[in-house]
Amino acid sequence: MPHQPAFGRRLRKLRQARGLSQTALAGDGMSTGYLSRLESGARQPTERAVAYLAERLGLEPADFEEPAGGSLAHALTLVASTGSQAAMDTLREALAAEGHEAPVLRWQALWQLARQRRLQGDHAGERADLEELVRLGDEVGLVALRVRGLTRLARCLRSLGEITDALDAATTAHHLAREGDLEVEDHAAVLLALVSVEAEAGRTPDARAHTDELVGLVAGRTDALWAEAMWTAAAVRLRQGDPVAAEAYLEEALEKFSSGEDLVLWLRLRLAAAELHLQKLPPDPEAAERCVTAAEPALAFVDTPGLRQDLTAIKADLAFLTARYDDARVLLGELAEAEPRMTYRTRVRLDILRNQLLIRSGDDRGIQGLRALAEQAQADANLGLAAEVWRILAESLAETAAERPAAPGV
């Protein structure tokens, strides 16, 4: 049986969330005066009163109990003050129990929970939270909330390799941002999402134009938003075949962005720089190794499954490029045993590496595997990735032909 005064506070909150007056809730089965005394905590509720009020509100009697971790607002305060896993668990429990809370409050809770999923590399879980967040944003009708939700959803869908849906979400967010009177931070965040998806979709000219707009928008800053813009600009330049400009953007970010601002982003920038040195032509394994060496100690402070797997994937690529094929196989084996917390692109990159190792061992299944990866990426509208896989396949075929002994008499 609920006890006062907690019961009265919760009863009032549930009634007001449904837009009911005391008279409307009391109906014919309870006096308004008695209901008022229940809400004030002056009267202890009976089982009959609780059952009646639950029926009127469309609830179960147990819904009058406060969640174990307190209200949703209290759980949000805990997350803001501690950011711990326990606080996040409390927030998710409160969100599930507090379906009556204002949509804006629920939106804030989902934003925090989706962010945690992203940091953990749980992109499927992040997507579920973000889809509900976008729905709530539409319900509230605030342009800023709609734009932020669609922006994060676009980036999540890109991580999952769902490029067509990601492009739809990013384009919608961009249109809303241009029509609304939003802050620079919101416009820049939209452009970050739009550029990354356009690049994956093979829309390089559009990505380049929006990158220039983004870089101009954050000029003069050195915060996390600026660092992400530099990272994104580097990725676009690399795909345009301009590794010098790409490296210049990343080097500026590495030099000016402080780990005290955002240690996770600081670490990811170094992993991005390592990837750049491995992907440019010709690759620079020594520079990549220096980036890995600088990044690895930071994992002691912000270690998550996603970051750990990203680092291991880079080490596997590095081992392959330096002809340490057995080391590459061991690292791939470690990743195969763990629950994947990587983006779609990283998972494909690892599949590419597995097939390259097969080719190295004389197994023609590697050629077939690379061809299947390229065709799948193309079917998924991930044209940038498809082009990369086709290039690697062509190089592998050329290397295989060059290494095979000539036929007798040739």
Side-chain angles (χ1 to χ4, degrees), residues 336-355:
E337 293 176 359
E339 180 184 357
R341 296 288 189 175
M342 297 165 285
T343 65
Y344 167 79
R345 173 173 273 275
T346 301
R347 292 198 303 273
V348 171
R349 196 173 82 238
L350 293 175
D351 286 337
I352 291 171
L353 185 55
R354 290 186 182 95
N355 284 295

Side-chain angles (χ1 to χ4, degrees), residues 183-321:
E183 300 291 334
V184 168
E185 287 75 12
D186 286 315
H187 283 284
V190 170
L191 286 170
L192 280 168
L194 184 60
V195 167
S196 63
V197 177
E198 286 173 336
E200 293 285 11
R203 298 188 178 188
T204 308
D206 292 338
R208 173 63 182 267
H210 286 130
T211 296
D212 293 342
E213 181 184 351
L214 172 62
V215 171
L217 196 61
V218 299
R221 304 171 66 139
T222 57
D223 59 1
L225 191 62
W226 170 83
E228 283 203 71
M230 296 299 101
W231 179 2
T232 301
V236 171
R237 293 298 192 275
L238 184 62
R239 292 185 191 187
Q240 286 184 311
D242 189 354
V244 174
E247 192 169 345
Y249 275 120
L250 264 182
E251 286 297 329
E252 186 178 359
L254 292 173
E255 178 185 348
K256 295 182 180 179
F257 185 68
S258 167
S259 61
E261 180 83 23
D262 184 334
L263 185 55
V264 172
L265 180 55
W266 183 91
L267 192 156
R268 293 191 67 83
L269 285 171
R270 278 145 184 81
L271 296 184
E275 288 183 17
L276 182 148
H277 291 304
L278 293 176
Q279 292 172 15
K280 66 185 183 182
L281 300 174
D284 187 346
E286 291 184 2
E289 184 69 55
R290 288 195 295 271
C291 293
V292 168
T293 300
E296 195 160 16
L299 284 176
F301 302 97
V302 292
D303 198 359
T304 67
L307 286 172
R308 176 64 62 181
Q309 289 178 20
D310 285 344
L311 178 62
T312 303
I314 291 171
K315 286 182 174 182
D317 274 333
L318 189 56
F320 180 83
L321 280 173

Side-chain angles (χ1 to χ4, degrees), residues 110-230:
L110 283 164
W111 180 266
Q112 293 292 342
L113 292 169
R115 178 179 179 275
Q116 184 209 26
R117 299 271 205 194
R118 182 174 77 254
L119 292 175
Q120 294 292 328
D122 181 7
H123 300 296
E126 180 193 5
R127 176 185 185 172
D129 286 340
L130 288 173
E131 286 177 339
E132 176 63 12
L133 184 143
V134 168
R135 187 193 67 77
L136 283 173
D138 291 341
E139 180 181 331
V140 173
L142 293 176
V143 174
L145 297 189
R146 295 181 68 194
V147 167
R148 290 169 194 169
L150 285 165
T151 298
R152 285 293 349 159
L153 180 60
R155 297 184 71 168
C156 177
L157 290 170
R158 172 185 173 272
S159 295
L160 290 167
E162 300 184 24
I163 302 304
T164 301
D165 289 342
L167 190 58
D168 286 344
T171 302
T172 302
H174 189 230
H175 288 326
L176 287 171
R178 293 181 68 178
E179 294 171 0
D181 184 20
L182 302 183
E183 300 291 334
V184 168
E185 287 75 12
D186 286 315
H187 283 284
V190 170
L191 286 170
L192 280 168
L194 184 60
V195 167
S196 63
V197 177
E198 286 173 336
E200 293 285 11
R203 298 188 178 188
T204 308
D206 292 338
R208 173 63 182 267
H210 286 130
T211 296
D212 293 342
E213 181 184 351
L214 172 62
V215 171
L217 196 61
V218 299
R221 304 171 66 139
T222 57
D223 59 1
L225 191 62
W226 170 83
E228 283 203 71
M230 296 299 101

Side-chain angles (χ1 to χ4, degrees), residues 7-193:
F7 173 78
R9 291 194 300 267
R10 188 153 176 82
L11 174 59
R12 183 184 300 109
K13 183 190 297 183
L14 291 166
R15 174 178 62 77
Q16 292 174 343
R18 284 159 175 74
L20 299 174
S21 66
Q22 288 185 338
T23 301
L25 177 57
D28 297 331
M30 180 179 290
S31 73
T32 304
Y34 177 63
L35 176 58
S36 178
R37 289 192 292 276
L38 286 176
E39 288 192 356
S40 69
R43 290 290 299 272
Q44 180 66 25
T46 63
E47 289 186 8
R48 180 178 178 183
V50 170
Y52 175 77
L53 290 169
E55 181 180 359
R56 296 283 292 172
L57 290 166
L59 301 171
E60 295 295 327
D63 292 327
F64 288 111
E65 298 284 354
E66 286 279 1
S71 68
L72 187 57
H74 175 67
L76 277 166
T77 302
L78 282 177
V79 168
S81 61
T82 69
S84 67
Q85 181 61 50
M88 286 293 184
D89 292 341
T90 297
L91 180 60
R92 190 168 291 282
E93 291 169 6
L95 180 64
E98 300 280 72
H100 64 278
E101 287 285 10
V104 171
L105 200 62
R106 292 177 61 78
W107 190 97
Q108 292 173 338
L110 283 164
W111 180 266
Q112 293 292 342
L113 292 169
R115 178 179 179 275
Q116 184 209 26
R117 299 271 205 194
R118 182 174 77 254
L119 292 175
Q120 294 292 328
D122 181 7
H123 300 296
E126 180 193 5
R127 176 185 185 172
D129 286 340
L130 288 173
E131 286 177 339
E132 176 63 12
L133 184 143
V134 168
R135 187 193 67 77
L136 283 173
D138 291 341
E139 180 181 331
V140 173
L142 293 176
V143 174
L145 297 189
R146 295 181 68 194
V147 167
R148 290 169 194 169
L150 285 165
T151 298
R152 285 293 349 159
L153 180 60
R155 297 184 71 168
C156 177
L157 290 170
R158 172 185 173 272
S159 295
L160 290 167
E162 300 184 24
I163 302 304
T164 301
D165 289 342
L167 190 58
D168 286 344
T171 302
T172 302
H174 189 230
H175 288 326
L176 287 171
R178 293 181 68 178
E179 294 171 0
D181 184 20
L182 302 183
E183 300 291 334
V184 168
E185 287 75 12
D186 286 315
H187 283 284
V190 170
L191 286 170
L192 280 168

